[in-house]
Amino acid sequence: MSWVFQAASFFSTLEQHNDRTWWQANRATYDSAIKPAFVEMLEAISDFGPWRVYRPNNDTRFSSGKGPYKTFIGAVAERDDGVGVFVQVSSRGLLLGTGMPMPAPDQLQRLRSALADPTSGTSFCEAVDQVRLAGSRVFSGRYEPLKRTPREYPADHPQAEFLRWKGVEIGHSPGLPDWLNSVEAASAIDQLAATGGPLHRWLGRHVGASALTAEERFAPKRRPANNDGS
């Protein structure tokens, strides 16, 4: 059995038995087969890195409804220009996301300023069209868009839809294609990620990396973000 299908089976069962007893009895499969093969695949992906592989344990201190263990294996990386990538394998197969799905406050401010500018705002729309024509999904990242345009921008602004976004993500959910189990997996993931190129370049040029540390950006929050236009 290839490692990807083994991983899909492993996480499918974990979804049904997400407890310490099952995890301890089956962790050797994760440690000796799934994680090493996943890391090896990541190291062959050329456009991003270094990678940070998620720990298998969930942090349940600030959220409810989660089991103690993640039902996937995933990793993130970020380029010097602030464009990031997320790779995940679960019972449903591969999930790939690129862009700025969770921009820091300073990045979000620059994103909205660039969207509001007539020239860069128009070029953003053109980049979105190019990426979507290539077959990729483009959406507002990990958070629901604002219900209203931010206060500093008129409700009828030409880019009102995008100004409500809290991020920009290019997503792919190919499932369990045969190539994912081959030596060409990393190359194929490179090709999927490359379809977001027009938006990657736009984000790198107009938004860039955050000045905040990872701890400042990703520390758990005790209450949800305001959704009233702020």
Side-chain angles (χ1 to χ4, degrees):
M1 179 185 294
S2 67
W3 82 267
V4 174
F5 284 99
Q6 183 179 22
S9 176
F10 179 91
F11 290 120
S12 178
T13 307
L14 178 58
E15 289 170 0
Q16 303 171 50
H17 305 283
N18 199 330
D19 56 57
R20 188 174 186 275
T21 299
W22 188 91
W23 179 259
Q24 291 298 326
N26 294 274
R27 180 166 187 168
T29 299
Y30 179 91
D31 288 339
S32 64
I34 295 172
K35 184 176 179 180
F38 181 69
V39 170
E40 183 178 359
M41 182 184 73
L42 293 176
E43 290 174 347
I45 295 174
S46 62
D47 288 343
F48 292 91
W51 293 90
R52 180 171 62 87
V53 179
Y54 287 8
R55 294 179 300 175
N57 305 75
N58 275 324
D59 186 344
T60 59
R61 293 174 298 170
F62 303 108
S63 61
S64 59
K66 287 183 178 180
Y69 305 101
K70 294 180 176 66
T71 55
F72 64 88
I73 185 167
V76 294
E78 186 173 290
R79 303 190 315 204
D80 290 342
D81 62 1
V83 175
V85 62
F86 171 66
V87 178
Q88 170 184 303
V89 174
S90 70
S91 64
R92 289 164 290 282
L94 176 69
L95 175 67
L96 172 70
T98 63
M100 294 183 182
M102 299 172 63
D106 58 335
Q107 292 175 304
L108 184 58
Q109 182 179 14
R110 293 194 296 270
L111 171 63
R112 288 176 174 163
S113 294
L115 288 171
D117 179 83
T119 301
S120 54
T122 298
S123 65
F124 178 84
C125 294
E126 293 170 348
V128 169
D129 288 343
Q130 290 179 55
V131 173
R132 286 175 172 166
L133 283 172
S136 301
R137 181 182 175 218
V138 181
F139 56 105
S140 61
R142 303 302 170 87
Y143 303 115
E144 290 292 323
L146 296 171
K147 295 180 180 178
R148 295 184 292 274
T149 306
R151 298 184 184 94
E152 60 267 40
Y153 304 107
D156 61 350
H157 192 283
Q159 308 302 339
E161 175 191 357
F162 297 129
L163 285 167
R164 292 195 296 270
W165 284 15
K166 294 183 178 181
V168 178
E169 184 167 357
I170 304 100
H172 306 270
S173 303
L176 288 166
D178 290 341
W179 55 256
L180 193 54
N181 296 293
S182 73
V183 295
E184 303 299 327
S187 176
I189 291 174
D190 274 343
Q191 292 177 31
L192 278 181
T195 63
L199 276 172
H200 297 166
R201 290 187 288 275
W202 189 95
L203 290 167
R205 176 182 179 184
H206 296 287
V207 181
S210 174
L212 303 179
T213 66
E215 289 75 16
E216 291 170 325
R217 292 174 62 184
F218 301 117
K221 297 179 175 59
R222 294 178 181 271
R223 61 181 183 179
N226 192 351
N227 202 42
D228 64 355
S230 60

